């Protein structure tokens, strides 16, 4: 089945630890995105990538890092510098040319 | 001004009515516009995309785009309780693939 897979679905970490969220797609999409959603809020863009080995900061990139070594994969690391990391994290992908983006199931990160 | 703005809501309509959702955007070079539906606890799912001025219809859904006024709207005809969800407006920015979202509007359809 084609789609976007995020793992894990739920993730718990202690404060001060870095954590990496996985996002894999088999849709052959060039563009990939990471968003953060807090309760009752819309989606805020963390990072996006239009091609392999290139990515751009979104609106709330501080405390996060990404890599895009393969077209299929766009992992997000939440570092200890992120002051309030508990949130719902969503990965999306799309073809280039301003076309529709499709989302994975999301990862709920809780930092205690 | 935020890049994509939606009415704060929430919006409540009776079953069978028309629900109207509105969105404005600040970037005049935005090229692509999308409406997503998000059920509580789930990820957003695409329901409509629109790229040129005018109306686009898909079943009970109609998206409207007015680039001169920089607004996008979504009409849901014959609203059903299953349409109760948060609706998110999104637009690409600055001629790039950067995709930004509004805060969303919660819609409740009452039986």
């Amino acid at each position: 089945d084609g789609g976007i897979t995020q793992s894990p679905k739920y993730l718990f970490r202690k404060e001060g630890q870095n954590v990496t969220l996985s996002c894999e797609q088999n849709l052959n999409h060039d563009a990939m995105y990471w968003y953060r959603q807090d309760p009752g809020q819309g989606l805020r863009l963390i990072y996006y990538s239009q091609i392999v080995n290139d990515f751009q900061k979104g609106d709330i990139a501080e405390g996060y890092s990404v890599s895009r070594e393969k077209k299929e994969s766009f992992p997000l690391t939440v570092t200890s510098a992120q002051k309030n990391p508990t949130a719902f994290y969503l990965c999306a992908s799309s073809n280039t040319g301003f076309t529709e983006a499709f989302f994975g199931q999301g990862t709920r990160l809780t930092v205690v | 001004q935020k890049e994509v703005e939606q009415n704060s809501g929430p919006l409540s309509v009776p079953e069978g009515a028309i629900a109207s959702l509105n969105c404005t955007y600040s970037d005049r070079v935005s090229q692509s516009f999308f409406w997503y539906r998000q059920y509580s606890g789930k990820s957003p799912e695409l329901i409509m995309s629109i790229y040129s001025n005018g109306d686009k219809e898909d079943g009970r859904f109609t998206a409207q785009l007015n680039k001169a006024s920089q607004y996008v709207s979504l009409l849901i005809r014959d609203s059903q309780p299953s349409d109760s969800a948060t609706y998110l407006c999104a637009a690409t920015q600055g001629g790039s693939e950067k995709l930004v979202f509004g805060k969303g509007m919660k819609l409740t359809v009452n039986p």
Side-chain angles (χ1 to χ4, degrees):
Chain A
D1 289 338
I4 304 166
T5 302
Q6 289 188 245
S7 60
K9 190 173 181 179
Y10 298 96
L11 188 56
F12 295 88
R13 278 295 182 269
K14 291 184 177 180
E15 192 172 342
Q17 290 181 335
N18 291 355
V19 61
T20 298
L21 282 59
S22 171
C23 179
E24 303 277 335
Q25 54 97 1
N26 61 5
L27 300 169
N28 200 34
H29 285 171
D30 288 305
M32 296 187 74
Y33 308 83
W34 274 106
Y35 294 90
R36 168 182 173 140
Q37 188 174 39
D38 294 285
Q41 300 296 311
L43 278 61
R44 291 186 290 167
L45 182 64
I46 305 172
Y47 271 97
Y48 67 107
S49 168
Q50 297 182 202
I51 56 173
V52 174
N53 293 321
D54 188 41
F55 47 83
Q56 288 75 41
K57 292 183 179 180
D59 300 316
I60 57 164
E62 185 176 352
Y64 299 97
S65 65
V66 294
S67 63
R68 187 84 187 278
E69 297 177 0
K70 298 187 299 181
K71 188 175 184 178
E72 303 79 21
S73 178
F74 192 39
L76 173 74
T77 297
V78 184
T79 75
S80 57
Q82 168 51 232
K83 295 180 181 178
N84 187 16
T86 294
F88 187 37
Y89 290 88
L90 289 156
C91 177
S93 71
S94 71
N95 279 318
T96 51
F98 319 113
T99 58
E100 300 93 341
F102 298 95
F103 284 84
Q105 289 186 311
T107 293
R108 291 197 180 277
L109 173 64
T110 302
V111 175
V112 296
Chain B
Q1 182 183 5
K2 294 188 182 299
E3 292 171 303
V4 177
E5 291 201 61
Q6 295 182 246
N7 292 344
S8 57
L11 176 65
S12 181
V13 300
E15 185 175 355
I18 295 175
S20 178
L21 303 146
N22 299 309
C23 173
T24 59
Y25 60 94
S26 61
D27 187 351
R28 284 196 168 273
V29 300
S30 290
Q31 298 191 31
S32 305
F33 306 88
F34 309 98
W35 284 99
Y36 288 82
R37 177 175 61 198
Q38 186 177 27
Y39 291 113
S40 181
K42 303 295 185 182
S43 61
E45 56 179 323
L46 179 72
I47 52 173
M48 290 288 286
S49 59
I50 187 165
Y51 304 98
S52 56
N53 279 328
D55 296 357
K56 179 181 178 181
E57 187 175 318
D58 184 359
R60 296 185 296 112
F61 298 96
T62 299
Q64 299 173 318
L65 173 60
N66 184 322
K67 288 190 175 182
S69 301
Q70 294 178 243
Y71 84 78
V72 190
S73 64
L74 179 71
L75 298 177
I76 306 174
R77 291 181 300 280
D78 188 24
S79 295
Q80 301 297 308
S82 58
D83 295 327
S84 297
T86 296
Y87 289 80
L88 298 159
C89 174
T92 54
Q93 297 290 301
S96 75
E97 303 285 350
K98 182 181 181 183
L99 183 63
V100 294
F101 284 77
K103 286 192 172 183
M105 163 81 87
K106 185 175 182 179
L107 170 66
T108 300
V109 180
N110 300 302

